[in-house]
Amino acid sequence: MPRWRFNHLLLAPHRLAFFLAALMLATSALWWAALLLARALQWPLSPAVPAPLMHALLMGLGFMPLFFVGFLYTAGPKWLKLPAVSARSVLPALATVMTGWALAWFGLHWQLLMAAAGMGLVALGWTTLSLRFAHMVWCSRVSDKMHTSLASAACLVGAGVMWWVTLALVFDATPLLRTGIQMGIWWFLAPVFVVVSHRMLPFFSASIIESLDAWRPNWVLVVMLATLLLEGLVSVADLWWWPLPPALRWLQAGLETPLALLMLGLALRWGFIQSLKIRLLAMLHGGFVWLGVALALNAVSHGLMAASGDTVSLGLAPLHAMTMGYLGCTMFAMVTRISTGHGGRKESADNLVWSLYWVLQAAVVLRVSAAMLEVLSQTLTLAAVAAWCVVMLGWALRYGGWFGTPRPDGRNG
């Protein structure tokens, strides 16, 4: 068996970025599991930043952007018809991001200014990567740059969000930190996923299932992005002006209901049912279904809030359906596909990955249920984080091993 070497990570951008992302993901999962266990055992904890906010920050802005780098700097040059990007050229920026997160992690526990300094390094590294990708989009002469331009714009928004979070930590402003986290989810992370879903899901389905075509009108993408803009605005409004008037809550529920039905209808139109016999394709579609479910849960939650004067809701269930369900499952499937296809292996999900995917689905269901069942909340949350750790550790070990070894087909990359 080939030896694992760090130099092999520098053979392609996805190798380096995905490895660092997997390392960040596995570490974050273990950290959060340990923190929840300590809280369940009633151990005294007094971090510099409240644990739920640390969780939201690390799980949101921690590993996901690193996965974006691997995807955008691998697929992006092909979409833009530009020369391939070398992993060595993105190493300094990625090293800055990782150094920043290491410093921020310690600071979030013990010293806010250290956390702010670390977050500043993260923002600097990510801004460098985002501007470079924006320059690639600008220099490209291809006629269709819609998806790459939108993904680039979302990444630049992400850079702004990271600088916002840095300032929030400098001034110890919890409302600003909460606002930055919500903006990061709805206006940075989710738009990148939606843009990629709109481009890749119909394409993957049509290339494998003969009865389907690559139907993806631009108006669908506009509606999807407008939906995320709306949800972000509502989330920020909830932080600053809660409770909102019942009439506004009914309006939210009234808008979210047809949007949820549209997303679930898109899942069917793009071949969700037909994909169930093809594991890797089913994994991608299964992630997209969670987008519709998250919007449906939001509609129900806002309806309950409208009827109860904001005293009854589904809590964090819609948010976890969005983050763990749509973002998490789509990330799992997309990175699996790139790691196999660009790693010289068959583009498929073997028994290990297929099993881990279903454990991931179980983790999402457990966490969403925990938010809605207050009596069982702690038990279900611990079960969800345990399942999440199993999935992410197993997944990170599998592909982390691949990224540090040569391709089995002997080709470069």
Side-chain angles (χ1 to χ4, degrees):
M1 183 173 178
R3 288 184 60 187
W4 194 98
R5 295 181 182 276
F6 178 82
N7 283 345
H8 291 141
L9 298 179
L10 302 178
L11 294 176
H14 80 274
R15 284 176 174 257
L16 177 62
F18 284 177
F19 175 79
L20 295 176
L23 180 64
M24 184 82 179
L25 173 56
T27 304
S28 300
L30 289 173
W31 163 81
W32 184 235
L35 212 61
L36 286 180
L37 183 59
R39 190 167 65 182
L41 295 173
Q42 298 184 343
W43 291 356
L45 297 171
S46 55
V49 173
L53 286 181
M54 282 198 289
H55 165 68
L57 181 60
L58 291 169
M59 294 295 183
L61 297 179
F63 53 85
M64 285 289 189
L66 295 170
F67 281 119
F68 290 174
V69 173
F71 180 82
L72 293 176
Y73 277 90
T74 297
K78 296 180 180 180
W79 293 354
L80 296 168
K81 297 191 184 321
L82 294 174
V85 175
S86 72
R88 291 183 185 276
S89 68
V90 296
L91 178 58
L94 288 173
T96 301
V97 170
M98 294 300 289
T99 303
W101 277 122
L103 191 62
W105 187 87
F106 284 103
L108 290 169
H109 285 81
W110 294 291
Q111 223 290 327
L112 269 181
L113 287 180
M114 182 187 296
M119 198 66 218
L121 287 176
V122 173
L124 176 62
W126 181 252
T127 301
T128 302
L129 292 163
S130 298
L131 288 174
R132 179 175 179 181
F133 187 72
H135 181 69
M136 289 167 56
V137 175
W138 175 266
C139 291
S140 173
R141 294 293 178 263
V142 298
S143 57
D144 181 9
K145 297 194 288 187
M146 181 181 67
H147 292 89
T148 48
S149 296
L150 289 170
S152 175
C155 289
L156 291 171
V157 169
V161 167
M162 291 179 186
W163 287 113
W164 176 294
V165 169
T166 301
L167 290 176
L169 292 171
V170 168
F171 295 107
D172 190 12
T174 299
L176 292 180
L177 180 57
R178 292 181 183 275
T179 301
I181 290 169
Q182 290 296 327
M183 292 192 300
I185 293 171
W186 294 106
W187 298 342
F188 167 37
L189 300 177
V192 173
F193 275 89
V194 158
V195 167
V196 172
S197 294
H198 181 265
R199 180 177 178 114
M200 303 307 294
L201 260 181
F203 172 76
F204 288 155
S205 299
S207 63
I208 296 175
I209 302 171
E210 293 183 0
S211 61
L212 297 177
D213 56 29
W215 180 85
R216 56 170 187 225
N218 291 341
W219 68 262
V220 169
L221 181 56
V222 172
V223 171
M224 293 165 77
L225 291 172
T227 300
L228 300 179
L229 176 62
L230 168 68
E231 294 298 331
L233 288 172
V234 170
S235 299
V236 171
D238 273 338
L239 293 174
W240 290 92
W241 296 293
W242 184 90
L244 297 179
L248 186 54
R249 292 297 188 199
W250 284 121
L251 177 61
Q252 291 175 243
L255 289 172
E256 288 163 344
T257 299
L259 289 171
L261 293 174
L262 175 61
M263 294 306 113
L264 294 172
L266 276 176
L268 294 175
R269 178 63 179 80
W270 285 344
F272 171 63
I273 301 298
Q274 296 92 325
S275 75
L276 294 178
K277 295 181 180 179
I278 306 168
R279 288 180 176 181
L280 194 53
L281 196 56
M283 287 162 55
L284 286 166
H285 281 277
F288 189 76
V289 168
W290 275 110
L291 176 58
V293 172
L295 291 172
L297 290 174
N298 249 340
V300 172
S301 186
H302 288 137
L304 290 172
M305 294 170 80
S308 66
D310 272 15
T311 59
V312 178
S313 73
L314 297 184
L316 293 175
L319 184 62
H320 282 96
M322 179 71 182
T323 53
M324 289 181 69
Y326 175 49
L327 305 187
C329 293
T330 302
M331 173 197 74
F332 186 97
M334 192 66 72
V335 174
T336 297
R337 188 185 188 280
I338 294 173
S339 300
T340 52
H342 289 270
R345 294 170 172 85
K346 183 180 179 182
E347 289 185 354
S348 63
D350 60 16
N351 290 336
L352 172 63
V353 172
W354 186 237
S355 299
L356 289 175
Y357 178 77
W358 283 105
V359 177
L360 174 57
Q361 291 284 348
V364 181
V365 172
L366 287 167
R367 186 61 189 89
V368 170
S369 301
M372 296 188 289
L373 301 172
E374 187 174 349
V375 176
L376 298 173
S377 179
Q378 186 177 83
T379 301
L380 292 175
T381 300
L382 287 173
V385 77
W388 178 267
C389 284
V390 168
V391 173
M392 297 312 166
L393 284 174
W395 193 53
L397 287 172
R398 151 64 72 85
Y399 294 110
W402 287 9
F403 299 143
T405 56
R407 287 173 54 134
D409 60 4
R411 296 174 60 187
N412 294 326

